[in-house]
Amino acid sequence: MFERRQILTGFGTILGTAAMATILPKAALAASIKPDNASALLVIDVQNCFLPGGSLAVKDGDQVVPVINRIAKSFANVVLTQDWHTSGHVSFATTHSGKKPFETIDLPYGKQVLWPDHCVQGTEGAALSKDLSIAHAGLVIRKGSNKDVDSYSAFTEADGKTTTGLAAYLKARKVERVFLAGLATDFCVAWSALDARKAGFETYVIEDACRGIDTQGSLAKAWADMGEAGVKRIQSSDIAV
Ligand code: VGL
Ligand code: ZN
């Protein structure tokens, strides 16, 4: 199933990584991952608030949609997530007098970045993009509904203990590998990927199917943290469609 890695490792030991790229035929590099029944695609927060024109728009966020629609066809198991806050949520700058978006505060569970109001339950901004086309998705997880606790992760709230039930759902369905796509790379995608590793899943982030917010070095830090945790960074072209 992961021929690319095996090929790279084989050549790498003999020739070193620099030589590899030049001698490997392109066909051997393309689309070497074939999702099976033990694979799930997690589509993180592709919601209007995070798309151009939204209150917490991620740059080029809309560009992930066609990529996700294409790869989703290869997955029997797809889970969608929605950031789903109360009004007056603790993560909103407007909830804290004198605070502006992108400042941070200390909360009982740790540092919290403050955001513009976004993804309020039942609003148009919280709706999934109308351009997402994944009718076969089996589950929608809504997270961040606790007024006093944020939840970037699709698995566990920011208190580090309250579960959304996603890991148990995936395990009940015999999923061993998760692939992440969506918004934003450095917050909800990264936190979900790190928790997927903690829950014991083989974890892949599909870089070109994600876009980041990148505030105060968050994007570089997210990739570093994910790399350290054993999250694999791949491209959508690595997935056989
Ligand atoms: C997100 C910031 C605040 C995300 C959600 O989906 O990455 N980022 N809430
Ligand atoms: Zn949020």
Side-chain angles (χ1 to χ4, degrees), residues 50 83 85 91 115 118 150 152:
F50 300 121
D83 212 33
H85 298 310
S91 74
W115 305 106
H118 65 279
D150 206 356
Y152 297 141

Side-chain angles (χ1 to χ4, degrees), residues 44-45 47 50 56 58 83 85 91 112-113 115 118-119 143 150-152 183-189 213:
I44 306 295
D45 297 4
Q47 295 167 268
F50 300 121
L56 181 41
V58 179
D83 212 33
H85 298 310
S91 74
Q112 173 71 51
V113 181
W115 305 106
H118 65 279
C119 297
K143 61 185 179 61
D150 206 356
S151 189
Y152 297 141
L183 305 170
T185 318
D186 39 349
F187 289 92
C188 292
V189 173
I213 294 173

Side-chain angles (χ1 to χ4, degrees), residues 108-238:
Y109 56 80
K111 244 191 192 13
Q112 173 71 51
V113 181
L114 297 175
W115 305 106
D117 289 22
H118 65 279
C119 297
V120 173
Q121 298 169 4
T123 61
E124 192 49 33
L128 293 167
S129 166
K130 64 170 178 20
D131 297 321
L132 267 187
S133 178
I134 320 179
H136 65 290
L139 177 69
V140 181
I141 288 271
R142 289 172 167 174
K143 61 185 179 61
S145 309
N146 182 341
K147 200 174 202 274
D148 302 316
V149 182
D150 206 356
S151 189
Y152 297 141
S153 167
F155 291 90
T156 309
E157 295 185 8
D159 63 5
K161 46 179 193 269
T162 308
T163 178
T164 64
L166 179 56
Y169 167 86
L170 293 171
K171 285 176 184 176
R173 293 181 52 86
K174 308 254 187 293
V175 169
E176 296 165 11
R177 278 174 284 289
V178 298
F179 294 76
L180 291 104
L183 305 170
T185 318
D186 39 349
F187 289 92
C188 292
V189 173
W191 285 52
S192 298
L194 293 170
D195 279 348
R197 290 292 301 140
K198 283 189 196 147
F201 297 102
E202 212 178 295
T203 306
Y204 298 79
V205 170
I206 309 164
E207 184 171 15
D208 60 321
C210 302
R211 290 294 185 280
I213 294 173
D214 203 9
T215 174
Q216 297 161 41
S218 55
L219 190 58
K221 182 176 185 323
W223 281 120
D225 291 348
M226 288 192 283
E228 208 155 288
V231 174
K232 299 184 178 89
R233 180 175 183 168
I234 62 168
Q235 307 301 316
S236 62
S237 57
D238 295 326

